Amino acid sequence: MITFSNIKEILLALKREEDLLTEMFKRRKTANYKYEYALELVDDNDGRLQYLIDRSVIRQNGNTLEIDDLYLQFFEQVLEANEEINTSYINENLEKVKQNIDYYFNEQNEQRKYEYLRTVKNTLRKIGIITLRNVVDLKRNIDNTFKSEPNYKNKKAKLINLDNKRKDITKLIEQTEQLITDDNITFFKTATDEELNRIIVQLKMQLHKCTHNLIEIQRQIIDFLNQIQQQSGVIEKLRQIKYLKDQFILETTTDIKQILASNNTVVFEPNPIYPLKLSLEYLQTDEEAFASIKKIAERKKIGTKLKQPVAEKISDEYLETQIQEEVQINLEEVKNGFVAGSNNLFDFVMSFNFSKTVSFDERVTIYCQMVSLYDNFFEITEEVDEKNEVEYAMIYPK
């Protein structure tokens, strides 16, 4: 693998292909970027595209291109567009601070002690920035998951995983606060450095801000999970009601008529509008009250009434009542008759005297519906019989 020789070469390469990298960064979440798309933005006669591939700025997989993970993470972190919540990076920096504090106390040379002190300051500064970014990314991921994830189970699982991330960040904040206040209080008192004191104050403010945001995030996660639970429960009930309605047994197996009769909600009623009367103080004013009175007077002014045209007489044939009757099968009645006898269910349904003509296929359907709805009342055996090329189980009443 070919590498860049210095920073200047890296910056020149990124600047020269800024149009291509910008377009590929915009499409990092969508389908793979085609090789021919890149040729429209880069003149590859002098091998500029291959130059980036050789140095692993972009990677080629067949006819597709993508930005290398190293550069992609750099762009996302600098632009604060990353969605990855990396708590392990905070933990690594905490361990790095502890190690360099130990090195500081063990070192006698002042110059090397200062290098360890500088590493501690830079790492503490990074901890504050990374923690804030993780909290912001966590809040954004929670909102996107709740609003965009269509699958209820995946939505719930993702929110629970994000809540675990919240707990990890909270624990790391507590460890950081303990590190700078209790565990290494000797270091922060002996290492007299004005910049270090400013960094500690700034870090405490950042951690305090993160803690308050995490409390709000916890409340939001709980609220979202409750909404998901409620919505999923409502959907399951609606599916069950629709199934009973499609089977024409909703009224016979439920008390929906009694529930609707006792329900007096007025959600579909129009909101009442109450007229607002003008106060006496307002009517005593000159300009505003006079303008209002003029508007009301014009509205109430009686003018010439237009005579409304009279419609023709409605024909008697439109007023004739037409009744269409439909006979439905009461499965509850069929079940009661079967339970009272000793015959097997299939033969019973085949010989049952319905109130209308029922074909063989329709009786097979009724047999299946009975097994599905009233299996608790039946004794389903392992015996199998066949009739008209239809194989069925032998079922008897309990």
Side-chain angles (χ1 to χ4, degrees):
M1 182 183 68
I2 305 174
T3 59
F4 291 103
S5 58
N6 51 56
I7 295 179
K8 183 177 180 181
E9 185 180 357
I10 298 175
L11 296 178
L12 286 175
L14 298 180
K15 175 62 179 176
R16 185 173 62 235
E17 312 303 344
E18 61 176 337
D19 293 337
L20 173 63
L21 294 175
T22 300
E23 188 65 22
M24 292 181 66
F25 184 77
K26 291 179 181 178
R27 297 192 180 187
R28 69 190 187 279
K29 300 293 184 182
T30 58
N32 294 328
Y33 196 79
K34 301 295 183 181
Y35 188 89
E36 50 266 25
Y37 298 163
L39 295 178
E40 297 178 359
L41 299 175
V42 176
D43 186 6
D44 201 38
N45 293 330
D46 53 353
R48 288 165 50 182
L49 194 57
Q50 189 62 39
Y51 179 85
L52 296 178
I53 296 174
D54 293 338
R55 286 156 181 78
S56 297
V57 177
I58 59 178
R59 294 191 175 276
Q60 183 178 6
N61 184 14
N63 194 36
T64 60
L65 299 175
E66 61 181 356
I67 302 177
D68 185 75
D69 289 341
L70 181 64
Y71 290 91
L72 184 61
Q73 291 178 8
F74 170 74
F75 295 150
E76 288 181 340
Q77 290 178 2
V78 172
L79 297 174
E80 297 185 2
N82 59 310
E83 297 181 355
E84 187 79 19
I85 301 173
N86 191 355
T87 56
S88 61
Y89 193 47
I90 303 176
N91 195 26
E92 291 175 2
N93 281 281
L94 285 174
E95 293 297 325
K96 187 176 181 181
V97 170
K98 295 177 183 179
Q99 293 171 3
N100 280 272
I101 289 176
D102 293 337
Y103 301 155
Y104 177 87
F105 283 119
N106 295 334
E107 185 58 56
Q108 301 298 325
N109 185 281
E110 292 297 328
Q111 180 63 31
R112 288 194 289 270
K113 287 183 70 172
Y114 177 75
E115 292 297 327
Y116 294 134
L117 175 61
R118 188 165 66 89
T119 302
V120 171
K121 291 190 292 185
N122 292 336
T123 308
L124 290 175
R125 190 182 295 111
K126 284 195 296 184
I127 289 175
I129 296 174
I130 296 169
T131 306
L132 274 175
R133 287 185 179 178
N134 276 339
V135 172
V136 173
D137 293 338
L138 179 64
K139 178 70 166 60
R140 182 169 58 246
N141 286 341
I142 291 172
D143 291 337
N144 292 338
T145 299
F146 182 75
K147 296 176 182 177
S148 305
E149 177 57 52
N151 188 289
Y152 278 99
K153 292 183 179 179
N154 287 341
K155 182 184 293 187
K156 182 178 180 180
K158 288 182 179 181
L159 287 175
I160 292 175
N161 291 333
L162 290 172
D163 189 44
N164 292 332
K165 292 284 187 181
R166 177 195 62 80
K167 294 177 182 178
D168 294 338
I169 296 175
T170 303
K171 188 181 298 183
L172 290 172
I173 290 176
E174 294 174 354
Q175 294 177 2
T176 305
E177 291 176 341
Q178 186 176 0
L179 173 68
I180 61 180
T181 55
D182 299 329
D183 294 348
N184 294 277
I185 189 172
T186 304
F187 168 77
F188 293 108
K189 285 188 176 181
T190 57
T192 54
D193 187 275
E194 184 178 350
E195 184 182 13
L196 177 62
N197 293 333
R198 291 200 304 269
I199 293 174
I200 294 297
V201 172
Q202 180 68 20
L203 178 59
K204 288 182 178 180
M205 294 173 60
Q206 290 171 333
L207 297 180
H208 184 70
K209 182 178 180 181
C210 291
T211 301
H212 280 277
N213 288 329
L214 288 174
I215 294 174
E216 175 61 23
I217 288 174
Q218 181 184 17
R219 184 202 63 78
Q220 189 177 34
I221 290 177
I222 294 174
D223 181 56
F224 284 165
L225 289 175
N226 290 336
Q227 290 186 42
I228 293 173
Q229 185 68 26
Q230 182 181 6
Q231 291 171 2
S232 61
V234 171
I235 289 177
E236 289 300 325
K237 291 180 180 179
L238 289 176
R239 286 176 179 171
Q240 185 177 5
I241 292 175
K242 184 179 184 301
Y243 171 76
L244 295 176
K245 180 178 180 297
D246 293 341
Q247 298 298 322
F248 305 101
I249 58 174
L250 179 61
E251 297 180 358
T252 58
T253 57
T254 64
D255 58 345
I256 187 170
K257 284 189 174 181
Q258 293 82 348
I259 295 297
L260 294 178
S262 62
N263 193 346
N264 298 319
T265 55
V266 290
V267 292
F268 299 108
E269 293 290 333
N271 293 328
I273 301 176
Y274 303 101
L276 180 63
K277 296 182 178 180
L278 299 177
S279 64
L280 295 177
E281 292 80 5
Y282 178 79
L283 293 174
Q284 290 175 355
T285 58
D286 294 332
E287 298 180 359
E288 297 181 357
F290 181 70
S292 299
I293 294 172
K294 283 181 63 177
K295 290 181 180 179
I296 296 173
E298 292 178 358
R299 190 183 309 163
K300 297 295 183 180
K301 186 177 180 181
I302 300 176
T304 304
K305 291 185 177 181
L306 297 177
K307 186 177 180 180
Q308 296 292 334
V310 179
E312 297 180 357
K313 181 181 178 181
I314 299 176
S315 176
D316 294 336
E317 62 182 19
Y318 288 104
L319 300 178
E320 294 179 358
T321 303
Q322 297 180 357
I323 300 175
Q324 182 178 2
E325 295 183 354
E326 180 180 356
V327 180
Q328 296 183 355
I329 297 174
N330 190 342
L331 295 180
E332 184 73 19
E333 180 182 351
V334 180
K335 185 264 295 183
N336 293 335
F338 171 69
V339 173
S342 60
N343 197 5
N344 69 79
L345 180 61
F346 191 84
D347 292 340
F348 179 82
V349 173
M350 291 299 153
S351 61
F352 190 84
N353 185 18
F354 294 101
S355 56
K356 67 175 183 177
T357 304
V358 181
S359 65
F360 176 79
D361 292 339
E362 291 175 336
R363 291 176 184 267
V364 173
T365 302
I366 294 172
Y367 168 83
C368 296
Q369 291 176 344
M370 295 282 293
V371 175
S372 175
L373 294 174
Y374 307 112
D375 58 324
N376 294 331
F377 298 91
F378 303 156
E379 180 181 350
I380 303 175
T381 66
E382 296 182 357
E383 298 180 22
V384 178
D385 202 349
E386 183 178 350
K387 185 175 182 180
N388 294 347
E389 298 182 354
V390 175
E391 192 175 81
Y392 59 91
M394 300 295 289
I395 301 173
Y396 300 93
K398 284 186 176 180

